[in-house]
Amino acid sequence: MKKLNHLIEQFIHDFQIDDIERFTFTSRLSEIISSNEKCVPYPKNRKHIPLKKSMKYSQNFLKSVSEEYAKEIENVQLECELNSPIDPYSDYIESTKQKYIYLAYQNRIRDSFIITHELIHATTVEEYVSIARNLFCEMFSFTAEMMQRDFFEQQGIKNAAINDQTVIGSLQEINKINMFQTILVSEFLDRGYITASNFMDLLNQYDEKEIIMISNHISENIDQNNFDIFFQNRYIVGYLFACYFYDYIKDKEEFIALNSIINQYNIEDVIHYLDLEYKDTFYLDLTEESYRKLENSYQKRLKKV
């Protein structure tokens, strides 16, 4: 427990957390996911699709959105690895001024969605990246995945629904882990230390499968010397806002318009652009009506799984 306590204490210090109210916004979003939990079927289709074909699928979709987006793959340094345990990611290499994408692929239809996801990130990876872009970057990439599913279904490409099944299944797992980590932070703020007994009491509130999943994640945190809840929270924020953004935008041009200026916007600008409202700007807490809008869109997306 000593190392876990040290990581939590360091996290609290680094992000200057003196009050669990700092998590009001993300906790409310987590509640939306947990209160609408759905048993997502594991994707059964394992049809082999070569990486080159997935790249072509992605480029064809992006071309339908913007010629500039379709050419983005030519502007990035792309590293691909089959069946890698490392999650795909995008980055900006300062020394070479080059955009970089690492792609773990499996020769499945899902690869095409991941390529699109990372290429949309690449459109706004710059030397200067705004706080708003850091928080909402996943909104754009997940929205693009939703748009790509529509495109695939219009083109008669089968098994596009597999992507939603995979993403929502993963999202629900991430949400459980983040809720547990948030509880640990709350307990640490109250007690000043997490005992082994206290930890197990909290963990035993979950079922056996969840206990294994959460325990493995906490062990990884300890091994990697990292307890950054906010990094994973981006996926929760991103997906819920993507469901709403997908419903909100009238056309692809509106998607491009906001994405193109995200590095010039602050968080409040984005909230207002989306016709949502704050209740408390310090804690990034939205009004009840705004949370309802997000939940309604998420519920609509769940029906497509």
Side-chain angles (χ1 to χ4, degrees), residues 57-114:
Y57 279 163
S58 178
Q59 277 191 302
N60 287 343
F61 160 67
L62 290 171
K63 201 170 188 178
S64 76
V65 178
S66 160
E67 288 282 352
E68 185 180 339
Y69 282 10
K71 292 178 181 177
E72 191 63 42
I73 197 166
E74 301 169 9
N75 302 324
V76 300
Q77 178 186 338
L78 184 63
E79 181 180 352
C80 304
E81 189 172 355
L82 179 63
N83 296 324
S84 169
I86 302 171
D87 290 335
Y89 66 91
S90 308
D91 203 355
Y92 182 84
I93 310 301
E94 182 66 37
S95 59
T96 61
K97 310 296 183 185
Q98 177 79 37
K99 296 178 181 182
Y100 170 85
I101 290 177
Y102 176 83
L103 178 66
Y105 69 100
Q106 298 180 320
N107 286 324
R108 300 290 185 264
I109 189 72
R110 169 91 174 118
D111 294 338
S112 179
F113 290 93
I114 294 172

Side-chain angles (χ1 to χ4, degrees), residues 119-283:
L119 285 174
I120 293 297
H121 281 332
T123 62
T124 54
V125 170
E126 303 171 358
E127 288 185 76
Y128 168 76
V129 175
S130 70
I131 295 174
R133 189 271 177 190
N134 272 339
L135 183 63
F136 291 110
C137 64
E138 300 299 338
M139 176 183 79
F140 294 102
S141 288
F142 282 130
T143 302
E145 290 186 38
M146 296 171 191
M147 293 162 60
Q148 182 168 324
R149 174 178 171 179
D150 294 343
F151 178 80
F152 276 11
E153 290 176 345
Q154 290 162 9
Q155 298 291 312
I157 299 172
K158 296 181 180 179
N159 304 309
I162 284 175
N163 190 64
D164 276 301
Q165 294 170 3
T166 305
V167 171
I168 290 175
S170 297
L171 184 75
Q172 290 181 159
E173 290 182 355
I174 289 170
N175 191 54
K176 284 187 174 70
I177 290 167
N178 269 31
M179 290 180 78
F180 182 77
Q181 289 180 302
T182 303
I183 291 170
L184 288 181
V185 172
S186 178
E187 288 290 313
F188 190 95
L189 288 171
D190 287 345
R191 298 166 176 259
Y193 196 83
I194 305 290
T195 65
S197 175
N198 184 211
F199 180 86
M200 290 309 301
D201 286 344
L202 296 171
L203 191 60
N204 285 330
Q205 297 176 32
Y206 296 83
D207 65 34
E208 184 178 354
K209 183 181 176 182
E210 292 167 349
I211 288 173
I212 294 171
M213 175 184 69
I214 293 169
S215 297
N216 287 342
H217 186 83
I218 296 297
S219 294
E220 287 176 12
N221 283 161
I222 293 171
D223 290 343
Q224 296 170 6
N225 203 35
N226 178 34
F227 193 82
D228 185 356
I229 302 174
F230 294 133
F231 182 81
Q232 293 281 35
N233 266 334
R234 292 189 316 160
Y235 296 103
I236 296 169
V237 174
Y239 194 79
L240 287 175
F241 273 80
C243 293
Y244 175 75
F245 191 42
Y246 172 85
D247 289 342
Y248 178 84
I249 55 176
K250 301 176 183 66
D251 49 42
K252 294 167 184 175
E253 285 69 30
E254 196 163 0
F255 172 90
I256 296 168
L258 182 57
N259 189 47
S260 66
I261 58 174
I262 190 63
N263 277 319
Q264 301 162 37
Y265 267 20
N266 59 37
I267 294 172
E268 291 182 35
D269 291 330
V270 178
I271 295 297
H272 292 146
Y273 183 98
L274 296 173
D275 288 333
L276 299 173
E277 295 180 2
Y278 276 120
K279 182 168 65 177
D280 186 329
T281 55
F282 183 77
Y283 291 121

